[in-house]
């Protein structure tokens, strides 16, 4: 029996999957992320879960062939994790921590956004393409780049940080990163709500959104799809800056396809059409351009991407 | 006897180099680019030059092991050249054209800017690094990306088009590409002259540049280095936008080193220091950042990069 595990570490839960050597998902589950004590229990918990599930499936320690893991933080090229604010880990080599708790099986590690991109490239919205850029529109804007099957993590762990491309000049508010005018400030779920509130204040245009007390990005997307002109004008702004960023990414790595994921992408095909238009309007160098697709794996992208790091070719 | 050839096709001349299998340059020369008749003589000329030089060196046709060539134009992933405005070629497969004139030796082809980057990565300013982005500041601004030894040419041939990153919002003039505010409009030699002329008109500041009739980028760089305040303020603008673009590139591919080439880079280490400062000011995600170095191969970058495409590992 040969099992491969994919582990997707988040701030609240750790998602885990058991796979066979062909990459078929055999079972998946999650455990809570114990962030207390500087995250010192996290690797014990992961190792214990893997050992338990292996035994329950009738396997032994020798059945555990390899484990891939992603972490929300900057992983250096040599595997060093400087800091993961979300899970409380710092100053460790995650692969060593996990490997020595699992009879020294091979372990590989990557940044969560990059590894989600690898998952989508392999089994999701990027399948069948040679190069792909994932853009996740959630609380923030994340990104991951996969070229010829390889994640572009970067020499200092900031490859694919698309959320922090400077696209909106004149923005006065400061982004979490310290800059002003980052893509994340306008095209994340948070950004959509902020942009809507600004527009509601600055205009007298009637809108169904004026009735809603705790406005969410979903409210704005629903209203825009239903034909609310103010909501649509907000989404025009949101997708315009996304289109600028996609034009920039195309002029640097020029992928075959962009895959759009994250909570905002639940808006579906309407959103994809708006994004395609905005991207087209921001491509000047060639008439040939990348396709734009929805992500397909949802919350499973991380376990698929993680296990892909360690599966045999 | 085993010879490998690198060919760098430009609008005026074709630079050529003969190398041994270790990549040592044995001789180099150039021939004129015969653009007439839709460039139909170009591949005959290149093949004849290679055959002549091989014979002169005491070799036979069998001594020609492989040829690498770069072309100023967009090469698709399958090797198709849609159009090279500068040399008049279009709608051909350059590798096939050259290979069938040379007894079907292996030929590889790439875009000139990307291949120059490969040359600098291998033997120039990027040597010893795993990942590098070349930015050439010449008449325009070109770019090339090399990650783990591989050129990132892109799915549609526009990988590394750093000159057309939109960085200067509010720019009214239209770039050659159709957009406004491209890096090339401000940080190329042409851009430096334009920016200087604008500044001379809009300010009353005294400057040695006011005496010069046919202002060149070199005049501006020389004046800035000599302490001319107006020239330095122009260069602050020029390097600021270059720093913005480098910050963008770092947030996408995050290279170990940027290498600065092209005619403007003749300004040397002073320019590199100004660029480092501007890049630092535009990096928000991490304190670790890429080094900035001068290009070293000058006009030979293309023949080195081309031959690297075809040398044995």
């Amino acid at each position: 029996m040969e099992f491969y595990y994919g582990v997707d570490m988040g701030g609240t839960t750790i998602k885990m999957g058991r796979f066979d050597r062909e990459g078929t998902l055999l079972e998946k589950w999650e455990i809570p992320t114990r962030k207390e004590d500087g995250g010192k229990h996290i690797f014990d918990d992961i190792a214990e879960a893997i050992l338990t599930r292996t035994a329950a499936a009738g396997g032994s320690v020798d059945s555990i062939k390899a484990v891939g893991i992603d972490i929300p933080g900057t992983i250096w090229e040599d595997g060093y994790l400087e800091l993961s604010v979300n899970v409380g880990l710092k100053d460790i080599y995650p692969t060593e921590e996990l490997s020595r708790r699992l009879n020294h099986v091979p372990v590989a590690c990557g940044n969560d956004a990059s590894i989600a991109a690898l998952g989508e490239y392999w089994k999701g919205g990027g399948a069948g393409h040679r190069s792909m850029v994932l853009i996740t529109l959630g609380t923030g804007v994340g990104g991951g780049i996969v070229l010829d099957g390889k994640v572009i993590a970067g020499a200092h762990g900031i490859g694919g940080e698309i959320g922090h491309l400077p696209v909106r000049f004149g923005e006065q508010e400061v982004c979490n990163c310290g800059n002003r005018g980052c893509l994340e400030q306008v095209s994340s779920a948070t950004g959509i709500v902020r942009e809507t509130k600004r527009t509601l204040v600055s205009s007298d245009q009637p809108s169904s959104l004026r009735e809603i007390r705790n406005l969410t990005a979903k409210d704005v997307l629903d209203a825009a799809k239903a034909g609310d002109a103010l909501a649509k004008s907000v989404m025009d702004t949101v997708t315009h800056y996304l289109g600028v960023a996609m034009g920039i990414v195309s002029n640097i790595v020029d992928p075959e396809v962009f895959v759009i994921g994250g909570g905002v992408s639940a808006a579906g095909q309407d959103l994809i059409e708006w994004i395609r238009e905005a991207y087209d309007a921001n491509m000047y160098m060639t008439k040939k351009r990348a396709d734009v697709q929805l992500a397909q794996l949802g919350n499973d992208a991380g376990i698929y991407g993680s296990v892909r790091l360690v599966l045999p070719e």
Side-chain angles (χ1 to χ4, degrees), chain A residues 195-208:
Chain A
E195 188 67 24
T196 306
K197 288 180 175 169
R198 282 184 181 177
T199 309
L200 287 169
V201 168
S202 69
S203 111
D204 290 331
Q205 203 175 355
S207 166
S208 60

Side-chain angles (χ1 to χ4, degrees), chain A residues 153-165:
Chain A
H156 316 91
I158 58 166
E161 283 286 2
I162 292 162
H164 297 283
L165 295 180

Side-chain angles (χ1 to χ4, degrees), chain A residues 18-270:
Chain A
R18 184 167 57 87
F19 294 81
D20 65 18
R21 70 174 288 137
E22 278 72 44
T24 306
L25 178 61
L26 302 174
E27 65 167 335
K28 62 175 180 175
W29 71 96
E30 49 186 71
I31 61 174
T33 309
R34 282 206 284 159
K35 287 181 282 192
E36 61 266 30
D37 308 328
K40 66 187 284 194
H41 311 294
I42 285 177
F43 292 102
D44 289 336
D45 291 353
I46 294 171
E48 192 196 324
I50 289 174
L51 290 165
T52 305
R53 295 282 170 153
T54 302
S60 68
V61 172
D62 292 339
S63 312
I64 306 168
K65 292 305 171 190
V67 182
I69 181 168
D70 72 55
I71 295 181
T74 298
I75 318 282
W76 295 7
E77 272 193 319
D78 67 350
Y80 178 72
L81 176 74
E82 190 175 3
L83 178 66
S84 172
V85 176
N86 293 353
V87 294
L89 291 171
K90 66 176 180 182
D91 191 27
I92 53 163
Y93 288 83
T95 56
E96 291 180 15
E97 293 295 328
L98 194 51
S99 184
R100 64 187 170 81
R101 288 169 170 83
L102 289 171
N103 204 22
H104 303 284
V105 297
V107 178
C109 181
N111 162 270
D112 60 346
S114 293
I115 296 304
L118 184 60
E120 287 287 344
Y121 176 87
W122 179 40
K123 295 271 195 182
H129 294 276
R130 288 185 51 189
S131 54
M132 183 203 80
V133 172
L134 174 68
I135 303 179
T136 54
L137 308 174
T139 308
V141 172
I145 302 171
V146 186
L147 305 179
D148 283 327
K150 286 186 67 173
V151 169
I152 306 303
H156 316 91
I158 58 166
E161 283 286 2
I162 292 162
H164 297 283
L165 295 180
V167 290
R168 189 180 206 176
F169 288 73
E171 172 64 58
Q172 295 302 311
E173 284 185 47
V174 177
C175 181
N176 291 331
C177 76
N179 201 354
R180 288 178 169 84
C182 291
L183 177 64
E184 178 164 300
Q185 288 183 282
V186 59
S187 299
S188 61
T190 323
I192 291 171
V193 170
R194 191 178 56 177
E195 188 67 24
T196 306
K197 288 180 175 169
R198 282 184 181 177
T199 309
L200 287 169
V201 168
S202 69
S203 111
D204 290 331
Q205 203 175 355
S207 166
S208 60
L209 297 174
R210 295 192 184 276
E211 316 298 318
I212 300 173
R213 288 182 70 101
N214 291 307
L215 198 69
T216 65
K218 184 173 186 305
D219 295 329
V220 181
L221 285 154
D222 287 345
K225 286 198 275 185
D228 185 284
L230 184 142
K232 182 60 169 64
S233 79
V234 168
M235 288 310 303
D236 286 348
T237 302
V238 166
T239 54
H240 165 70
Y241 289 109
L242 189 56
V244 171
M246 291 164 71
I248 286 172
V249 171
S250 282
N251 272 357
I252 296 178
V253 292
D254 184 16
E256 271 187 27
V257 63
F258 284 96
V259 173
I260 309 296
V264 172
S265 73
Q269 211 54 45
D270 285 346

